[in-house]
Every structure is written in C-alpha cells, then in structure tokens.
Amino acid sequence: MARVLVAYGTSEGQTERIAEVIGDVLRDAGHEAAVLDVNDLGGVVPEGYDAVVLGASIHMGKHDKHVVALARDNLGTLERLPSAFFSVSLAAQGDQAEAEGYVRQFEEETGWHPDQRALFGGALLYTHYGFLKRRMMRRIVAGKPGDLGVDTSRDYVYTEWDAVRAFAEHVAAGLEPGAG
Ligand SMILES: Cc1cc2nc3c(=O)[nH]c(=O)nc-3n(C[C@H](O)[C@H](O)[C@H](O)COP(=O)(O)O)c2cc1C
C-alpha cells in the first residue's frame, strides 16, 4: 500500500471533483489517498507520502499559480517520488495542441517533469458565473474549436470520467501493490 497525496488547484470546483475521483480510484486499488486543496498545504508537500499527484486548471492561459509555486518550490520531493500531473482546461476538449502547450509551459516554469501527465476537459458553468464572466466566457468559446456550448442558461461538463479513472488506475498500478 502506498500513501498518495492528491493536491489540486481549482477556481470553480471542477479540478477538485476530478481529484476526488482520482482519490477514490486509488483507494479502491488498496492505496491511501489524501485529497487536498493546494491552498491548505502552505506551499509545502508534506512528509510521509510515497507518491504525489498534482492537478491544476487553466484560467486565461495559465495553470493555477499556487500549483505552479508548489511544484517549483518542492522540486526535490517531486523528483524523488513517483509523480503525476493533470491539467484541466477547455482546450483539452477541442484544441489538443493548445492544451499540450499549457502543460509544456507548466513544465518549463516549474522545472518538474512528472512521470505521468493527463489533460482533461473542464467545465463551462454558465449558471454559476456572474453576469460579466458569463458573457465573457460565451464570447471566448464561440470563437474556439471543439464545439463548446454557448447556451448560457445551462452548464456543460466536458470531463471524460472514464479517462480520469483510467489515469488514476495507471498511477495506482505504478505504485507498491495494493492491500486488497
Ligand atoms: C475566467 C475563465 C478563464 C478561462 N480561461 C481558459 C483558457 O485560457 N484556456 C482554457 O482552455 N480554458 C479556460 N477556462 C476553462 C477552465 O479551465 C474550465 O472551466 C475548468 O473546468 C476550470 O476548472 P476549475 O473549476 O477547477 O477551476 C477558463 C474558465 C474561466 C471561468
């Protein structure tokens, strides 16, 4: 059994939901998983974990700055342990090149090259956004590839949960054998 830290940076909650599913899959595989908001870590990857999974969403072309800082400032720990990164964006839904570019930029910025990486589609939560954000997001996605939704009276979730579970199973398989 391995103890795995799954830390996420989220603005509207989608990356947290993905992190929770990853935690569930790791536990089902017999590992111990702590799923934590990066803001609760105080900038430090705590001692006592055998592996680390970090996840961050994209806003305005950039990954969550707290996750960027955590990766950059804990590079030694992340390089010593099995590690994985997942990126959450709308680009992952229809513009793979852009989504991959975000991850390349993240790796350049942090110096961290995780053992495994995944790109997941995020969510368009129009009904949760304020007036200005709703209008801005509609305008942005209307000009983007990927057939993204423009009906602001509803939400759209592009996360492929099977891909999230497959990623987590892959992470789990690379760790010490599960207890059960
Ligand atoms: C204000 C705003 C800006 C965004 N900018 C981008 C962007 O530049 N590129 C992109 O692919 N997705 C962008 N997104 C989509 C988010 O990555 C997506 O909504 C994701 O699900 C957010 O995850 P979170 O809820 O964990 O923060 C943006 C979303 C919002 C609300």
Side-chain angles (χ1 to χ4, degrees):
M1 181 200 74
R3 294 193 66 209
V4 187
L5 172 67
V6 183
Y8 60 85
T10 187
S11 294
E12 286 96 24
Q14 191 64 12
T15 308
E16 177 178 5
R17 283 186 277 279
I18 294 170
E20 292 291 356
V21 170
I22 291 170
D24 288 345
V25 171
L26 289 167
R27 286 183 207 106
D28 285 350
H31 300 295
E32 232 176 85
V35 180
L36 299 173
D37 190 317
V38 71
N39 291 309
D40 294 332
L41 293 179
V44 178
V45 172
E47 296 281 320
Y49 290 103
D50 305 308
V52 180
V53 179
L54 295 186
S57 60
I58 289 281
H59 285 81
M60 299 303 175
K62 290 190 182 318
H63 282 102
D64 182 286
K65 64 174 192 273
H66 302 288
V67 176
V68 172
L70 188 78
R72 200 181 43 221
D73 298 346
N74 294 267
L75 201 51
T77 308
L78 293 174
E79 281 176 341
R80 185 168 48 81
L81 298 175
S83 67
F85 176 65
F86 66 94
S87 170
V88 180
S89 69
L90 288 175
Q93 165 65 16
D95 193 343
Q96 199 66 15
E98 185 167 332
E100 284 170 10
Y102 293 148
V103 174
R104 236 183 351 263
Q105 184 189 330
F106 176 84
E107 293 193 17
E108 277 166 20
E109 243 177 301
T110 60
W112 176 41
H113 300 287
D115 302 323
Q116 298 183 53
R117 30 180 100 60
L119 283 60
F120 299 129
L124 264 174
L125 304 179
Y126 286 121
T127 68
H128 298 254
Y129 302 152
F131 177 73
L132 287 176
K133 199 169 176 178
R134 191 158 56 236
R135 278 187 50 172
M136 179 186 75
M137 288 308 290
R138 188 190 184 285
R139 213 173 47 237
I140 290 174
V141 306
K144 294 268 182 199
D147 207 15
L148 297 164
V150 290
D151 176 357
T152 58
S153 68
R154 53 160 290 194
D155 297 330
Y156 298 86
V157 175
Y158 297 106
T159 310
E160 289 178 14
W161 297 105
D162 285 350
V164 173
R165 280 187 282 269
F167 167 70
E169 281 162 9
H170 205 248
V171 170
L175 303 173
E176 298 263 307

